């Protein structure tokens, strides 16, 4: 059986509007069109995995229980979209861990657990660290311009740069057609 491909998704400013150190699930605001975009991906062909740095936990601003509450609310808001997993780095940026994006450990961990083919998978995010994590894991990378961060000359180079998640899904579907 062929290993499955994944669409790895950053959370803040890719799926939802970033509120620094979000701790209240009732404050979640979806990025416009994000749910509809993910509904276009054939569930039988893609595992959706959210990959997110959440240093607010290490900083004492957010609890792991609050992060879990936000995850549960996202699952409800995106239904019937099915997320295979949520992978988090709760470390402070100065901790030197191997799981904080731009390092690829969160993607590698999900790939091992879910038996995913990284070479046929895609990382979608709004920051250079998302792109770099996808590149380091051996995935295609798509940068969406839905957050305040804009690509700079010294940023990790994405395979594709698009305006939003809907356009990123177009790219994923094009890559799917080329792979078959």
């Amino acid at each position: 059986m062929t290993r499955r491909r994944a669409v790895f998704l950053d959370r803040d400013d890719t799926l939802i509007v970033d509120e620094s150190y979000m701790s209240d699930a009732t404050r979640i605001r979806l990025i416009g069109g994000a749910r509809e975009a993910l509904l276009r991906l054939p569930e039988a062909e893609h595992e959706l995995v959210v990959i997110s740095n959440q240093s607010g936990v290490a900083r004492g601003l957010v609890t792991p229980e609050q992060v879990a509450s936000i995850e549960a609310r996202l699952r409800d808001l995106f239904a019937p979209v099915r997320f295979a997993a949520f992978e988090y780095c709760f470390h402070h940026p100065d901790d030197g861990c191997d799981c904080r994006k731009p390092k690829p450990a969160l993607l590698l961990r999900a790939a091992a657990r879910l038996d995913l083919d990284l070479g046929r998978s895609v990382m979608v995010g709004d920051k250079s660290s998302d792109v770099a994590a996808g590149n380091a894991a051996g995935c295609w990378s798509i940068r969406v311009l839905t957050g305040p961060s804009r690509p700079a000359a010294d940023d990790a180079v994405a395979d594709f740069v698009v305006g939003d998640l809907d356009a990123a899904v177009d790219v994923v579907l094009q890559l799917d057609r080329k792979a078959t």
Side-chain angles (χ1 to χ4, degrees):
M1 181 173 187
T2 304
R3 292 184 329 178
R4 301 211 13 148
R5 63 186 135 202
V7 177
F8 296 103
L9 298 152
D10 173 54
R11 189 188 83 176
D12 300 329
D13 281 336
T14 300
L15 295 176
I16 65 174
V17 175
D18 186 15
E19 286 196 19
S20 291
Y21 309 114
M22 180 177 286
S23 60
D24 182 354
T26 65
R27 296 180 55 117
I28 293 173
R29 291 179 295 138
L30 300 183
I31 296 283
R35 181 180 173 276
E36 295 77 11
L38 294 184
L39 283 169
R40 295 178 42 223
L41 289 170
E43 186 176 319
E45 297 177 24
H46 302 92
E47 295 287 359
L48 300 179
V49 179
V50 176
I51 304 290
S52 186
N53 290 341
Q54 293 299 316
S55 69
V57 174
R59 297 170 195 266
L61 302 170
V62 182
T63 66
E65 294 78 19
Q66 288 170 317
V67 174
S69 173
I70 291 164
E71 176 182 326
R73 180 76 175 133
L74 281 175
R75 289 182 186 278
D76 288 344
L77 290 172
F78 276 91
V81 171
R82 187 186 70 77
F83 293 103
F86 282 71
E87 297 284 343
Y88 302 107
C89 171
F90 291 150
H91 298 102
H92 188 279
D94 297 335
D95 287 348
C97 68
D98 67 348
C99 57
R100 184 173 177 79
K101 294 179 291 180
K103 294 181 180 172
L106 295 177
L107 287 82
L108 299 174
R109 182 168 57 206
R113 193 164 41 85
L114 299 170
D115 194 31
L116 302 173
D117 183 343
L118 289 168
R120 295 174 53 229
S121 296
V122 178
M123 175 70 207
V124 180
D126 67 303
K127 293 181 181 63
S128 179
S129 59
D130 303 316
V131 170
N135 291 348
C139 299
W140 292 94
S141 58
I142 302 174
R143 185 160 186 177
V144 292
L145 302 178
T146 49
S149 174
R150 293 289 180 246
D154 60 345
D155 278 356
V157 177
D159 294 302
F160 304 92
V161 177
V162 297
D164 58 19
L165 192 55
D166 193 53
V169 168
D170 287 340
V171 171
V172 171
L173 295 173
Q174 289 171 7
L175 292 171
D176 289 352
R177 282 191 290 279
K178 288 180 184 179
T180 56

